[in-house]
């Protein structure tokens, strides 16, 4: 028993459990898994090395790992309605590894990759670099990065990034096409972390075809919504589809890569021996269980409710004069532009956390501030929907969010540490935190 063998770690685990139980996670990339998923992740599969692929391992003793990986592949095929001539890799340890494997399989050093501009909602692994202390021109529709090549993708490849349309905050497909024609990327990427709208995958594939590029759709955020048929799918349209498994898909932490039979062979070689050693069989076990859950009718209802909840909370926040990027959401996430409010993302996220509402500061389209102190707040509904919350709870949560903004407005000009001192022991914030706790008790996590 951990409590006896290592009380120090046990205590930290219990404190985290209490935090998760008593606070509302509105971080759109987080979710709470079933006890079956967690049991599989904690299983004996964590003890086994299994470099290689099914039936062709470098170690003996993989009879059951092979069975597990075959079942996971089969469930992934079913969950994402894979065409017969597509294959799946379930071994990538995380989303960034999955993306790097695709690049390693399909590209050469210094090839050009074209992804979405990170502050507009792209992802680090889609080619991010920047110029320190330089404010980006929000009116330029294309971005070439800078000397600070913080992500390995920008060290290896030439990068060009497209932005959302400044007026609509949506993908501007004609503009993306122009950029692609001019810069001839070898790979075009969509997807990311803070784009609240559906992407027209067919149009993106047309653009890629026009310039002779591969098209990779990274659906990490919306994978569960796509599996449930609530968002449209790029499977069979894009050349490659990558995703993490632990966000809306509500499986264990890991990643899946889908591609046609020819590309998936190259990608398998890129995962191993290209980038990784042994797969995390225990994570694959959890992913397998989660994929099984994701094909049940209850999961479709869950995914539908996730979107309804996100749309409801966005609409409620608009009533309190919060500006919602792109005017709403098609998905599980809502990006709140705080430029008309007293607090921006950093202070607001910390104040909300004291009130028991966990969110994250975020950049937004036309951002002129640093990602360490940006203009927006990102929220999402996967976790609170797993708790069983519905539209009426979204009304309550939106009200709390607005109350926290009102309470903290008077401290908006304080330095961050002084601001935190004010909110740390504030009666009004503490009262909201108690109310949040009461709501959480009504919708307990099944630990
Ligand atoms: N960390 C993920 C997110 O929060 O969106 C992206 O990798």
């Amino acid at each position: 028993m951990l409590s006896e063998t290592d009380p120090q770690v046990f205590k930290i685990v219990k404190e985290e459990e209490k935090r998760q139980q008593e606070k509302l996670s509105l971080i759109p990339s987080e979710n709470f898994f079933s006890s079956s998923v967690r049991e599989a992740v904690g299983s004996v599969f964590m003890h086994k090395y299994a470099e290689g692929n099914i039936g062709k391992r470098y170690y003996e003793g993989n009879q059951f790992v092979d069975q597990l990986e075959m079942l996971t592949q089969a469930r992934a095929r079913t969950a994402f309605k894979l065409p017969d001539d597509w294959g799946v890799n379930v071994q990538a340890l995380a989303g960034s590894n999955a993306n790097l494997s695709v690049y390693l399989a399909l590209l050469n050093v210094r090839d050009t990759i074209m992804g979405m501009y990170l502050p507009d909602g792209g992802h680090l692994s889609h080619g991010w670099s920047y110029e320190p202390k330089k404010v980006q021109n929000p009116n330029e529709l294309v971005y070439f990065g800078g000397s600070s090549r913080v992500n390995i993708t920008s060290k290896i490849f030439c990068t060009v990034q497209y932005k959302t349309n400044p007026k609509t905050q949506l993908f501007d497909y004609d503009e993306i096409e122009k950029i692609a024609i001019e810069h001839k990327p070898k790979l075009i990427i969509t997807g990311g972390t803070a784009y609240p709208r559906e992407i027209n995958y067919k149009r993106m594939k047309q653009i890629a075809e026009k310039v002779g590029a591969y098209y990779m759709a990274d659906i990490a955020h919306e994978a569960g919504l796509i599996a449930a048929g609530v968002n449209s799918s790029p499977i069979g349209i894009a050349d490659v589809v990558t995703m993490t498994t632990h966000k809306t898909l509500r499986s264990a932490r890991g990643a899946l890569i889908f591609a046609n039979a020819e590309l998936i062979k190259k990608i398998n070689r890129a995962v191993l021996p290209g980038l990784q050693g042994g797969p995390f069989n225990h994570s694959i076990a959890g992913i397998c269980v989660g994929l099984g859950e994701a094909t049940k009718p209850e999961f479709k209802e869950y995914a539908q409710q996730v979107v309804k909840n996100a749309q409801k909370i966005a609409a409620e926040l608009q009533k309190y004069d919060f500006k919602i990027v792109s005017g709403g959401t098609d998905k599980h996430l809502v990006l709140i532009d705080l430029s008309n409010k007293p607090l921006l993302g950093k202070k607001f996220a910390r104040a909300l956390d004291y009130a028991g509402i966990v969110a994250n500061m975020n950049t937004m389209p036309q951002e002129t501030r640093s990602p360490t102190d940006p203009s927006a707040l990102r929220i999402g509904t996967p976790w609170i929907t797993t708790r069983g919350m519905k539209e009426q709870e979204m009304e309550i949560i939106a009200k709390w969010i607005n109350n926290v903004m009102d309470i903290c407005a008077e401290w908006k000009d304080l330095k961050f540490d002084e601001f935190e001192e004010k909110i740390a022991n504030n009666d009004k914030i503490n009262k909201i935190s108690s109310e949040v706790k009461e709501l959480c008790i009504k919708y307990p996590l099944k630990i």
Side-chain angles (χ1 to χ4, degrees):
M1 293 279 283
L2 185 64
S3 57
E4 285 158 23
T5 60
D6 196 333
Q8 266 182 304
V9 172
F10 179 76
K11 181 168 175 283
I12 298 171
V13 171
K14 283 289 149 191
E15 280 169 350
E16 173 61 11
E17 196 177 294
K18 186 168 162 11
R19 186 194 71 79
Q20 293 188 11
Q21 193 65 272
E22 295 183 350
K23 288 189 173 188
L24 293 168
S25 175
L26 297 189
I27 293 177
S29 46
E30 289 183 355
N31 211 330
F32 183 82
F33 314 141
S34 70
S35 54
S36 307
V37 167
R38 282 178 285 129
E39 190 180 330
V41 174
S43 71
V44 290
F45 273 118
M46 72 180 71
H47 306 131
K48 187 75 195 98
Y49 256 119
E51 266 113 319
N53 290 303
I54 298 166
K56 291 184 205 147
R57 308 276 178 183
Y58 291 88
Y59 295 76
E60 294 307 313
N62 276 307
Q63 299 84 346
F64 302 108
V65 170
D66 276 357
Q67 281 185 25
L68 175 72
E69 203 171 316
M70 253 186 289
L71 185 62
T72 312
Q73 288 191 1
R75 288 187 178 179
R77 296 191 82 89
T78 306
F80 288 92
K81 299 182 183 60
L82 224 57
D84 290 343
D85 60 343
W86 275 47
V88 52
N89 182 296
V90 304
Q91 294 190 0
L93 302 182
S96 291
N97 295 43
N99 291 346
L100 284 175
S101 304
V102 174
Y103 307 158
L104 184 61
L106 305 184
L107 305 174
N108 290 310
V109 172
R110 305 316 296 161
D111 277 349
T112 299
I113 62 173
M114 177 172 151
M116 184 186 194
Y117 181 54
L118 181 69
D120 281 17
H123 189 255
L124 286 166
S125 67
H126 298 173
W128 180 240
S129 66
Y130 69 100
E131 198 55 48
K133 301 199 164 50
K134 186 171 172 236
V135 177
Q136 300 312 320
N137 180 349
N139 297 316
E140 273 172 12
L141 295 175
V142 58
Y143 181 71
F144 299 104
S147 60
S148 185
R149 298 181 192 281
V150 284
N151 189 272
I152 189 164
T153 50
S154 61
K155 278 196 166 61
I156 298 177
F157 304 111
C158 301
T159 62
V160 51
Q161 301 208 311
Y162 55 89
K163 297 185 177 181
T164 50
N165 180 290
K167 286 205 184 80
T168 60
Q169 300 177 317
L170 302 174
F171 268 41
D172 184 336
Y173 295 97
D174 292 341
E175 189 58 39
I176 293 171
E177 183 171 76
K178 261 196 246 163
I179 298 169
I181 289 170
E182 187 171 347
H183 298 284
K184 299 187 181 49
K186 189 141 176 228
L187 176 73
I188 297 180
I189 306 159
T190 56
T193 60
Y195 186 65
R197 295 299 187 169
E198 289 238 46
I199 291 168
N200 185 340
Y201 299 117
K202 284 197 180 130
R203 179 81 171 96
M204 289 303 300
K205 174 62 181 165
Q206 278 169 359
I207 295 171
E209 270 179 348
K210 202 164 190 172
V211 300
Y214 290 110
Y215 169 36
M216 179 182 100
D218 176 345
I219 56 164
H221 263 262
E222 49 282 276
L225 307 180
I226 290 172
V230 172
N231 274 184
S232 56
S233 174
I235 302 273
I237 298 171
D239 296 296
V240 186
V241 177
T242 61
M243 69 191 74
T244 47
T245 40
H246 47 269
K247 298 183 172 96
T248 48
L249 191 57
R250 209 169 55 179
S251 303
R253 295 193 96 87
L256 300 175
I257 309 171
F258 296 102
N260 66 40
E262 188 200 327
L263 293 186
I264 203 75
K265 270 192 215 145
K266 291 187 190 175
I267 292 168
N268 287 342
R269 294 272 306 152
V271 173
L272 175 95
L275 271 175
Q276 294 181 183
F280 288 180
N281 312 304
H282 56 301
S283 292
I284 294 172
I287 292 167
C288 191
V289 175
L291 285 168
E293 292 172 1
T295 44
K296 294 194 173 137
E298 305 88 273
F299 189 81
K300 191 179 175 76
E301 278 169 35
Y302 162 72
Q304 284 166 338
Q305 191 62 48
V306 165
V307 176
K308 279 190 212 162
N309 283 351
Q311 290 173 340
K312 177 69 177 172
I313 205 166
E316 288 299 308
L317 287 167
Q318 279 171 324
K319 291 185 193 162
Y320 298 112
D321 198 29
F322 281 95
K323 289 201 284 185
I324 305 300
V325 169
S326 83
T329 182
D330 301 328
K331 307 203 290 207
H332 61 300
L333 73 86
V334 177
L335 191 60
I336 310 170
D337 169 0
L338 296 168
S339 56
N340 62 333
K341 292 286 183 182
L343 301 183
L344 297 181
K346 183 178 178 180
K347 284 182 180 163
F348 194 34
R350 186 56 57 88
L352 285 169
D353 189 49
Y354 276 96
I357 297 170
V358 189
N360 68 274
M361 60 179 172
N362 220 93
T363 54
M364 54 169 276
Q366 306 262 274
E367 184 62 79
T368 52
R369 300 173 61 85
S370 150
T372 57
D373 189 6
S375 307
L377 185 86
R378 188 183 68 152
I379 61 170
T381 52
W383 189 321
I384 53 176
T385 309
T386 293
R387 294 188 91 128
M389 294 183 186
K390 296 206 166 131
E391 284 90 334
Q392 66 185 33
E393 285 74 38
M394 300 307 115
E395 275 181 38
I396 300 168
I397 296 168
K399 190 162 171 247
W400 283 330
I401 291 174
N402 183 53
N403 287 350
V404 171
M405 181 59 88
D406 284 349
I407 293 165
C408 299
E410 60 174 308
W411 307 309
K412 68 183 170 64
D413 294 323
L414 294 181
K415 291 207 177 94
F416 190 76
D417 291 351
E418 293 164 359
F419 174 80
E420 184 156 11
E421 265 176 42
K422 292 282 182 198
I423 54 174
N425 279 310
N426 178 273
D427 288 345
K428 290 181 188 161
I429 298 275
N430 289 346
K431 184 165 176 289
I432 296 177
S433 158
S434 305
E435 289 166 4
V436 167
K437 221 180 276 179
E438 271 171 40
L439 183 68
C440 288
I441 289 166
K442 263 177 78 183
Y443 294 94
L445 298 170
K446 295 183 183 81
I447 294 173

